[in-house]
Amino acid sequence: MRAIIFALCSLLTTSVMANTYQVGDQIADITLQDQHQVDYHVDSKTTRVLFSRSMDGGTLIQEALEAEPELVSDTGLMYVADISGMPSLIARFVALPQFKKFPYRVALDNEGEQTKPLPAEKDQATLIELNNNQITKITFFASTTDLLAALK
């Protein structure tokens, strides 16, 4: 019985991992709204995506962008945040007002569907490097210093 349960769990884990983008994959265009309800696109012009699925990962990205404001003017760099795990009332009345104070745009995925295949590690920021929508590199960061070094 244990062997059957183990085999089923292994299959489920493999299928979940298979749905996550990897280096070499072609990323689909993503259209989300930013904190000001304006459409924001990951498309062929995007060369780097900063992605967070957690508050800790988002804090790392926020600290990096605030430490180096010139990064915000990089038109190929896009910040995407999956806020679907946040209770909707918290998202609407706490997080969104905070996002609106940022001097840079943040593409927000309220449902989690469009960002579901984006790779993420618990409490880390993800940097996905792209060339014409093809993923060339994926790096995870647990510190602002390391993230800043990679972005420069």
Side-chain angles (χ1 to χ4, degrees):
M1 184 66 170
R2 285 185 181 176
I4 293 172
I5 292 171
F6 177 75
L8 288 173
C9 288
S10 295
L11 288 173
L12 291 174
T13 303
T14 303
S15 67
V16 169
M17 292 176 70
N19 292 332
T20 302
Y21 286 130
Q22 311 230 345
V23 173
D25 288 348
Q26 197 75 15
I27 193 170
D29 286 354
I30 298 173
T31 299
L32 297 166
Q33 288 192 334
D34 68 8
Q35 68 268 41
H36 305 289
Q37 288 78 43
V38 176
D39 284 350
Y40 201 17
H41 310 278
V42 174
D43 55 23
S44 61
K45 296 176 192 143
T46 308
T47 57
R48 299 185 294 177
V49 174
L50 285 170
F51 176 63
S52 67
R53 196 179 306 275
S54 68
M55 189 171 182
D56 290 339
T59 300
L60 290 172
I61 294 171
Q62 178 185 350
E63 289 171 353
L65 293 176
E66 288 175 1
E68 297 290 336
E70 66 274 0
L71 290 172
V72 178
S73 62
D74 179 353
T75 57
L77 178 66
M78 184 172 173
Y79 176 14
V80 178
D82 175 359
I83 61 170
S84 64
M86 197 179 293
S88 62
L89 289 175
I90 300 294
R92 183 176 300 137
F93 296 112
V94 178
L96 193 56
Q98 288 299 318
F99 281 121
K100 287 182 178 182
K101 293 178 183 177
F102 293 165
Y104 47 84
R105 295 177 76 187
V106 183
L108 302 172
D109 189 353
N110 298 308
E111 305 299 321
E113 288 304 311
Q114 290 197 58
T115 58
K116 189 176 187 175
L118 295 180
E121 293 287 332
K122 184 176 175 23
D123 299 330
Q124 295 187 23
T126 305
L127 176 60
I128 304 166
E129 297 183 42
L130 303 168
N131 182 2
N132 201 25
N133 281 31
Q134 184 174 18
I135 299 174
T136 58
K137 187 175 182 181
I138 300 170
T139 314
F140 304 102
F141 297 93
S143 80
T144 303
T145 305
D146 293 340
L147 178 58
L148 274 170
L151 290 172
K152 290 183 179 181

